[in-house]
Amino acid sequence: AMAEHAAGDALYERIASEHLRIREENSRHRCRMCWHDTRACICAHLPALTLHVKVRLLVLMHQKEYLGAGDDAKLLIAMLPADQARLFVYGRSDDWAAFAAELADDPPHAMLLWPGDGALTLGQFLEALPESSGWRRSRAPAMPDAPLDATSALGGLRLSGPPASAAAQPSTPEATHAPYCDCGCVPASLSLMEMARLRRERRSALTAGAIGAAGQLCDQEADDTPAGDTDVSSTDVSSDPPSAAPAGDLPMLRVVLLDGVYNDARALLRTLRRRLPAAHVPPHVALHPDTLSV
């Protein structure tokens, strides 16, 4: 049975690789960063974000999502530093080996955002970590096991950015576009951006789940930060150092996101469980376990 599964996985990966090759050939008109048509590139409108918490997002993407303008996960990759978010596309050369190596580096400090039977709350995940883990020591004693919603999870974040007057100033494509994209794309017009925003709102579950998880983790480091300090115009996500465990003592916590429509993401989950050693398969955590929602 194991040999049959291995042969099936190898065939599935070859099919995925061929799908990616065709996608690449048919998407030469797309920006390599935001995956929109070069005439409607949105890179100039993407803020540079930084999570001041030792979390790395590992996005395992189904091949059907690759180079799709409507995909949300690629926005996390575009906006966060390379050491805080990595993209692995199933079927792309060497991506699976790199993904497996990330999880093998420190298996206890890895989680998979996935709703379903047996999903842990974030509090339960932290409680199950080794006693020596800085993450477990930084857990707020009064933290309830009940999940928080994505909005309240952001309450512990202090977001800071340029003054509103500066943010409101119009910027030239040359000034804002270069840091994010070097493909010579033309930034999108406002109407195109508005349409893109509406599309993203309909497909925002994955991004909200990722930011919500990071927000809850920041809450463990800075549970006394007033919610009123939140500024939605921010481009920087920061928190005060935890009192129980200094930031330097916290190991890197890897959060796996499966990117795809439900059936495709579920196929990735099955593949992940078959191909990784059992000790390297991260426990799945849901922010809303009772509703089976990430």
Side-chain angles (χ1 to χ4, degrees):
M2 293 181 61
E4 291 179 359
H5 281 311
D9 288 336
L11 176 60
Y12 180 45
E13 190 165 10
R14 287 198 299 272
I15 294 173
S17 298
E18 179 63 15
H19 179 90
L20 294 176
R21 184 188 66 78
I22 296 173
R23 267 291 177 94
E24 288 277 3
E25 290 183 356
N26 295 336
S27 302
R28 295 173 182 171
H29 61 291
R30 294 187 181 275
C31 169
R32 295 293 99 174
M33 179 69 75
C34 70
W35 299 353
H36 284 263
D37 190 288
T38 54
R39 295 168 297 180
C41 174
I42 65 171
C43 291
H45 305 276
L46 298 179
L49 302 178
T50 299
L51 293 173
H52 289 271
V53 60
K54 294 189 70 171
V55 172
R56 180 176 298 155
L57 303 179
L58 308 180
V59 179
L60 181 59
M61 178 178 288
H62 193 274
Q63 65 271 13
K64 291 180 183 177
E65 300 295 320
Y66 184 58
L67 292 177
D71 180 78
D72 284 333
K74 54 99 167 24
L75 298 178
L76 290 174
I77 305 301
M79 293 188 293
L80 290 171
D83 62 340
Q84 293 186 341
R86 292 190 63 184
L87 174 65
F88 306 91
V89 183
Y90 191 78
R92 192 165 64 178
S93 177
D94 300 326
D95 272 26
W96 181 263
F99 175 71
E102 277 274 5
L103 294 180
D105 185 62
D106 186 7
H109 291 98
M111 70 167 71
L112 168 67
L113 277 187
W114 182 259
D117 294 338
L120 304 175
T121 65
L122 185 58
Q124 290 169 338
F125 171 81
L126 294 175
E127 197 65 37
L129 290 175
E131 292 186 5
S132 59
S133 170
W135 281 106
R136 180 169 179 174
R137 296 198 307 273
S138 70
R139 183 181 188 271
M143 175 186 168
D145 283 334
L148 303 175
D149 60 45
T151 303
S152 63
L154 292 173
L157 300 181
R158 185 178 67 255
L159 307 182
S160 59
S165 57
Q169 293 295 324
S171 54
T172 63
E174 292 78 10
T176 59
H177 195 248
Y180 307 105
C181 178
D182 58 2
C183 66
C185 305
V186 178
S189 66
L190 180 61
S191 59
L192 286 172
M193 281 297 299
E194 184 68 15
M195 289 188 290
R197 182 184 65 81
L198 294 175
R199 287 197 299 269
R200 289 197 301 273
E201 286 179 351
R202 290 194 296 266
R203 294 170 53 89
S204 62
L206 181 143
T207 303
I211 297 300
Q216 288 197 34
L217 290 168
C218 283
D219 281 345
Q220 305 318 300
E221 292 192 283
D223 61 338
D224 59 345
T225 304
D229 287 349
T230 300
D231 175 6
V232 296
S233 65
S234 162
T235 58
D236 185 39
V237 182
S238 58
S239 66
D240 294 329
S243 57
D249 294 341
L250 294 176
M252 179 65 69
L253 186 63
R254 291 168 171 84
V255 179
V256 178
L257 309 173
L258 302 180
D259 184 34
V261 298
Y262 180 76
N263 286 339
D264 292 340
R266 189 171 180 82
L268 287 177
L269 177 64
R270 290 195 295 264
T271 301
L272 182 152
R273 287 174 170 170
R274 283 198 305 267
R275 295 188 62 175
L276 291 178
H280 296 172
V281 176
H284 58 290
V285 175
L287 304 187
H288 302 271
D290 293 339
T291 61
L292 302 184
S293 169
V294 169

